[in-house]
Structure formats: structure tokens, C-alpha cells
């Protein structure tokens, strides 16, 4: 039996990242993330950080995205990392309201 690997702050099943404030506010409300972990940028529900951890990226370019993903893995070791947002990089015909976009390639 293998031990569960913990990050610097603990272990979470799902790590959730958002890019803009409106996405963060909506995800925070939908997930019930009303508890901030210490004085960090990470939020979670009342059940603790073992279920999910939510954070907003500091900016919307590739470097902050990569650093935010790296930090999420380093601090929380989530089994799954999800980017929640409005898919601002897609043209209007590519996705509609409520669509879930799953890439077939990641850098």
C-alpha cells in the first residue's frame, strides 16, 4: 500500500484554478469555498481542504498559469487540476454557455 503524498499545505482531491475575478467569485459561490487557508490565496469549503482547494491566478498569461499550476501541485498534490472559466481564448463559435471544453493537447 502506497502512502498518500501530501503537498506543503496538505492533500486535496481537486485543485481548482480561475483566471479572472468574476470566475473566481462564481466558483467560490458554487463550491461553497468560504474558508481561506491561513492567509494564502487558497480557499476551501467548511469540510476542509481534503476535498477541494480553489485559487485565482495572478494574471492571464502562460507564465502565471504555469506557476499557479505548479504551486497548486506543490502545496496541495491534487489528484485532478481543473481550470474553471469563460474560455476567453476561444472564438465565439467554438463554445457556448455551459459547454465544457476538454483539450486534446496540453503543453
Amino acid at each position: 500500500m502506497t502512502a498518500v503524498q501530501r503537498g506543503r499545505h496538505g492533500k486535496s482531491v481537486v485543485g481548482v484554478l480561475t483566471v479572472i475575478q468574476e470566475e473566481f467569485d462564481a466558483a467560490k459561490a458554487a463550491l461553497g469555498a468560504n474558508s481561506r487557508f491561513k492567509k494564502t490565496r487558497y480557499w476551501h469549503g467548511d469540510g476542509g481542504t481534503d476535498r477541494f482547494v480553489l485559487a485565482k491566478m495572478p494574471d492571464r498569461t502562460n507564465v502565471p498559469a504555469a506557476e499557479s499550476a505548479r504551486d497548486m501541485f506543490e502545496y496541495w498534490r491534487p489528484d485532478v487540476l481543473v481550470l474553471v472559466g469563460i474560455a476567453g481564448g476561444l472564438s465565439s463559435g467554438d463554445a457556448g454557455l455551459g459547454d465544457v471544453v476538454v483539450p486534446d493537447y496540453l503543453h
Side-chain angles (χ1 to χ4, degrees):
M1 180 177 255
T2 26
V4 174
Q5 281 194 318
R6 294 173 46 87
R8 292 177 185 248
H9 292 321
K11 172 73 176 126
S12 184
V13 174
V14 179
V16 181
L17 291 174
T18 65
V19 181
I20 61 176
Q21 190 64 44
E22 293 85 354
E23 296 165 347
F24 177 77
D25 294 340
K28 190 175 167 192
L31 294 170
N34 48 13
S35 298
R36 190 173 191 172
F37 182 78
K38 300 185 178 177
K39 290 184 179 177
T40 66
R41 65 181 174 153
Y42 300 103
W43 290 77
H44 58 88
D46 288 333
T49 58
D50 58 336
R51 199 178 94 197
F52 75 89
V53 175
L54 169 68
K56 180 185 163 299
M57 290 189 250
D59 202 358
R60 53 178 92 194
T61 60
N62 289 343
V63 172
E67 290 172 348
S68 295
R70 179 206 59 213
D71 290 349
M72 182 68 79
F73 284 115
E74 181 177 337
Y75 291 120
W76 298 104
R77 296 276 195 252
D79 298 325
V80 177
L81 181 62
V82 179
L83 175 64
V84 174
I86 59 172
L90 297 175
S91 65
S92 61
D94 290 339
L97 183 61
D99 284 355
V100 175
V101 179
V102 179
D104 55 8
Y105 175 79
L106 294 173
H107 286 281

